[in-house]
Amino acid sequence: MYELLKNLGSWLTDAAQWSGSDGIAHRLAEHLQYSLLATLIATAIGLPLGLLIGHTGRGAFLAINLASFGRALPTVGLVVLVFLASGLSMWPVYIALVALAVPAIVTNTYAGMTAVDPDVKDAARGQGMRAHQVLFQVEFPLALPLIMTGLRLALIQVVATATIAAYVSFGGLGRYVFDGLAQRDLVQVLGGAVLVAAVAVVLDLALSGLQRFLFRHRTA
C-alpha cells in the first residue's frame, strides 16, 4: 500500500504528467468543459420547468418522481444507446449528463418554490403584483437558496459522471481511468479517480462558499 501511494504521489507531481495533449492540465480542462456545459444546458431546461411547476402547482407528480428517475438512470446505458443512434460524437455524453443533472435542478427548484410562505405570496398579490412579478420578485428570490443547492448537487453529479466521455473515446479525466484499466496500470486508474474526486470537492466547496456569502444576511 505504501509503495502504491508513493507511486501515486510521483504520478501526480511529475511535471511531465501535466504537459501535452494527454497531460493532466489538458484533461482537466476537457473535464471541466464537459461538466460545466452539461450543467448549463440542464439549468436552462430544469430551472424554468421547476419554477413553472412550483409557481402553478401543476405537475408536482413529475417533479417528485424526477428525483427517483435521476437516481435510477443507467448513464452508461444511455450513452451507448445514443451513441448507436447518432454515431461517434459528444452528443451521447452531453445527453446523458444533462439527463442526470435535470432531476436535481427541477426537484430542488420545486422544493424551494413550495417552501415560500403562502401569506407572503398573498401579500404580494394584495399589493397589486401580477403573477410574473410575484414569481420573479417574491418566490424566486426566497427559493434561491434551495435552487442553488440543486445546482450544486447537479454539478457534482455531472463532474463525477463525466468520466464516461472516455468510454466513447473522448477526453477528460476519465481517460486515465479507462486507459489505466486497459493497461492494468493501477496507479493511473487511482490518479484519475483522485483527480475527479478533487475537482468535485473543490467545486462543491467553492459553490458552498458562494452560497453562504450570498445569503449571509438571511435568517435560518
Side-chain angles (χ1 to χ4, degrees):
M1 179 61 73
Y2 172 77
E3 191 66 24
L4 178 61
L5 293 176
K6 180 181 177 181
N7 291 337
L8 176 60
S10 299
W11 187 87
L12 290 170
T13 56
D14 185 359
Q17 190 63 44
W18 287 80
S19 61
S21 59
D22 292 327
I24 293 175
H26 182 71
R27 294 304 185 196
L28 175 60
E30 289 177 330
H31 202 92
L32 288 173
Q33 176 189 328
Y34 303 155
S35 302
L36 295 176
L37 181 56
T39 304
L40 183 62
I41 295 171
T43 302
I45 296 171
L47 182 58
L49 184 58
L51 290 174
L52 178 64
I53 294 173
H55 179 68
T56 63
R58 299 172 183 173
F61 178 82
L62 171 65
I64 294 170
N65 283 276
L66 268 176
S68 299
F69 169 78
R71 286 192 294 268
L73 179 69
T75 309
V76 174
L78 182 59
V79 169
V80 173
L81 181 63
V82 180
F83 175 76
L84 292 175
S86 66
L88 183 61
S89 72
M90 273 298 295
W91 279 110
V93 176
Y94 282 124
I95 289 174
L97 294 178
V98 169
L100 177 70
V102 164
I105 296 172
V106 172
T107 52
N108 277 269
T109 302
Y110 168 74
M113 294 289 286
T114 56
V116 177
D117 190 339
D119 291 339
V120 174
K121 293 185 284 187
D122 289 340
R125 295 188 188 99
Q127 291 178 351
M129 284 189 175
R130 297 183 178 181
H132 70 278
Q133 291 176 314
V134 174
L135 171 59
F136 291 109
Q137 296 181 29
V138 178
E139 293 177 287
F140 179 72
L142 292 175
L144 197 52
L146 273 176
I147 293 174
M148 286 196 64
T149 298
L151 294 176
R152 280 175 56 198
L153 291 172
L155 179 58
I156 300 312
Q157 287 177 329
V158 168
V159 167
T161 313
T163 53
I164 60 172
Y167 187 78
V168 285
S169 301
F170 287 95
L173 296 174
R175 189 80 270 156
Y176 298 123
V177 176
F178 284 94
D179 288 350
L181 288 172
Q183 300 165 12
R184 297 186 179 182
D185 185 347
L186 183 56
V187 171
Q188 187 176 181
V189 173
L190 288 176
V194 167
L195 289 169
V196 171
V199 171
V201 169
V202 169
L203 288 176
D204 187 45
L205 290 174
L207 291 177
S208 178
L210 175 63
Q211 189 172 355
R212 287 196 300 271
F213 174 77
L214 292 175
F215 306 113
R216 63 193 183 281
H217 299 307
R218 291 198 180 186
T219 56

